[in-house]
Amino acid sequence: MVKMETSELETDLSLFKYDHLEQLPPRYRELDEAERTERIETALEELGDDVVILGHNYQRREIVEHADFVGDSYQLSKEAANAEAEYVIFGGVTFMAESADIITDDDQTVILPSMEASCPMAGMAEALQVDAAWAEITAAAPDAEIIPITYMNSYADLKAFCAEQGGLVCTSSNAHRAFEWAFERGDKVLFLPDKHLGENTAHRLGMDDRIATWDPWDPDGKDPEAVAESDIILWDGYCQVHERFRVDHVKAVREENPDAKVIVHPECRREVVEAADRAGSTADICRTVEEAAPGETWAIGTEIHLTEHLARWHPEVNVLPLCGDACMDCNAMRQIDPNYLTWVLEELAAGRERNVIEVAPGEKELAKVALERMLEV
Ligand code: 13P
Ligand code: SF4
């Protein structure tokens, strides 16, 4: 297994959506793993059934090891919907914690251990900006019914906007079903914010030649004629972690390991998905490795923590990172530091709630409609 490269991402796109959340008190900064683990376990024992910890597949080992459930965005939203604990501690990024707050009951509280865990891609489609673009896009096709679909990787206000306009949310595991749902009700889809997932989904539906891209940052990137002529309009957002994978990485891994099969996340570029053997959500990637025969080699094109977990969980399978040392960790996911987890749990055990994620009431009801539509498709 290669050593993990800790990326030095530019964070100017990473908007800290909840900047009122608190920073880690200095006394928690230097805890070593043994002490931290003991303290986390003690706090969890005290809190008992009052707390459930949900962890995304991209979380660090030290978070995943304490999670009651680890999974992809779709599974985590279902777990949140079914959770009975008073407190849901979310090991993931802001948009995931928001979705958990939307989908849990009003008497449940969602806590995001660190304020800095904001997905840059979610920040690429701000609701206000989308609202302005919506006016231009609908004007370009005045007779068409356009259904907006937002990827789970977006903020609650955009989810609310989509519900209001008759649309829904999807994750990477059900994007094709969300598109089918939309085309049963309308003529065109506006998909936000991930153009690569949108393009890969269009391909899956045999609609590659029906796509237009809308780049809100480039005056030449907004073409009303293309909108009028297309069925799928893709917002020009992307994930920096997944954009990094190239076809050359697929070729190189196969040259070095002729028996290797390649699986990538559908946030990768279309040509990378095309070159791979399979593409799927993080849960699909986990299932593929779980079901692999002993001795099989799988190269994984996604965030590096998941690749490292899979190598640890399935030593009988030869698990490789698709782009070796260049594979990236997600800067946002990495912010959920185990010291923060220790702090929020000990504070809860002492009766104090820290870093609560609370979506504004009006927005919450609408966003819930968009999420429930997703859970039904
Ligand atoms: P999954 O929905 O596949 O878990 O992916 C979430 C994500 O953020 C991928 O970058
Ligand atoms: Fe966002 Fe990409 Fe990180 Fe997923 S991996 S949370 S899309 S930045």
Side-chain angles (χ1 to χ4, degrees), residues 56-58 71-74 93 95-96 119 121 151-153 171-173 239 242 265-267 280-283 302 333:
H56 187 266
N57 286 321
Y58 293 163
D72 74 353
S73 312
Y74 180 71
V93 287
F95 70 78
M96 295 179 181
C119 164
M121 178 160 72
Y151 190 22
M152 180 67 102
N153 302 24
T171 70
S172 54
S173 65
C239 163
H242 289 93
H265 195 278
E267 285 177 18
S281 75
T282 58
T302 195
M333 289 279 178

Side-chain angles (χ1 to χ4, degrees), residues 19-36:
D19 52 11
H20 65 279
L21 299 184
E22 294 168 86
Q23 295 280 9
L24 188 69
R27 66 184 184 283
Y28 279 89
R29 295 207 178 127
E30 304 300 331
L31 302 181
D32 67 36
E33 187 166 353
E35 183 186 355
R36 199 167 55 209

Side-chain angles (χ1 to χ4, degrees), residues 65-365:
E65 280 174 358
H66 294 294
D68 295 289
F69 185 85
V70 181
D72 74 353
S73 312
Y74 180 71
Q75 293 170 321
L76 293 176
S77 59
K78 289 195 89 164
E79 285 297 317
N82 296 331
E84 284 174 5
E86 190 178 345
Y87 292 101
V88 176
I89 313 288
F90 213 102
V93 287
T94 321
F95 70 78
M96 295 179 181
E98 276 191 341
S99 297
D101 179 49
I102 292 162
I103 214 89
T104 47
D105 293 337
D106 289 345
D107 57 357
Q108 291 174 293
T109 301
V110 175
I111 288 180
L112 182 69
S114 165
M115 64 173 272
E116 290 174 52
S118 285
C119 164
M121 178 160 72
M124 289 180 193
E126 292 283 343
L128 271 177
Q129 186 189 27
V130 174
D131 196 26
W134 181 251
E136 293 176 75
I137 291 169
T138 48
D143 300 325
E145 180 76 25
I146 306 179
I147 309 279
I149 304 177
T150 186
Y151 190 22
M152 180 67 102
N153 302 24
S154 58
Y155 290 115
D157 47 4
L158 184 56
K159 293 185 173 90
F161 172 87
C162 287
E164 219 171 4
Q165 303 299 337
L168 77 168
V169 174
C170 73
T171 70
S172 54
S173 65
N174 56 26
H176 59 291
R177 289 205 298 278
F179 274 53
E180 284 163 356
W181 182 96
F183 282 119
E184 279 161 21
R185 288 158 179 81
D187 311 306
K188 295 179 193 284
V189 161
L190 167 64
F191 184 68
L192 318 112
D194 184 8
K195 64 178 169 188
H196 298 305
L197 177 61
E199 197 179 345
N200 286 317
T201 307
H203 175 79
R204 186 167 172 172
L205 299 176
M207 298 178 76
D208 314 58
D209 57 347
R210 307 297 311 145
I211 297 172
T213 305
W214 188 270
D215 180 351
W217 298 276
D218 176 4
D220 297 330
K222 309 184 234 181
D223 180 353
E225 264 176 48
V227 166
E229 284 164 13
S230 307
D231 295 327
I232 297 175
I233 303 126
L234 302 178
W235 192 261
D236 201 355
Y238 58 90
C239 163
Q240 290 149 320
V241 176
H242 289 93
E243 262 222 339
R244 197 163 165 127
F245 293 104
R246 305 278 162 167
V247 174
D248 280 350
H249 294 130
V250 178
K251 287 187 187 149
V253 91
R254 284 191 178 131
E255 253 164 46
E256 258 184 59
N257 308 271
D259 296 332
K261 288 193 215 118
V262 177
I263 183 162
V264 298
H265 195 278
E267 285 177 18
C268 292
R269 297 161 190 272
R270 173 80 211 108
E271 63 268 23
V272 174
V273 171
E274 187 69 45
D277 296 284
R278 288 179 72 161
S281 75
T282 58
D284 289 327
I285 295 173
C286 292
R287 232 178 343 260
T288 300
V289 175
E290 260 160 48
E291 290 169 3
E296 268 181 40
T297 298
W298 278 93
I300 315 285
T302 195
E303 203 269 353
I304 192 69
H305 285 102
L306 177 55
T307 310
E308 300 213 328
H309 298 329
L310 288 169
R312 216 172 45 251
W313 294 336
H314 301 284
E316 75 288 2
V317 179
N318 185 22
V319 176
L320 304 173
L322 178 56
C323 59
D325 287 332
C327 277
M328 272 174 75
D329 64 333
C330 167
N331 190 43
M333 289 279 178
R334 179 158 41 85
Q335 303 305 326
I336 305 295
D337 184 292
N339 291 339
Y340 269 98
L341 180 65
T342 316
W343 171 57
V344 294
L345 287 174
E346 289 190 340
E347 285 294 287
L348 263 191
R352 293 183 289 271
E353 298 174 353
R354 301 287 186 191
N355 290 355
V356 171
I357 296 288
E358 228 174 339
V359 176
E363 204 168 285
K364 191 169 181 171
E365 280 147 30

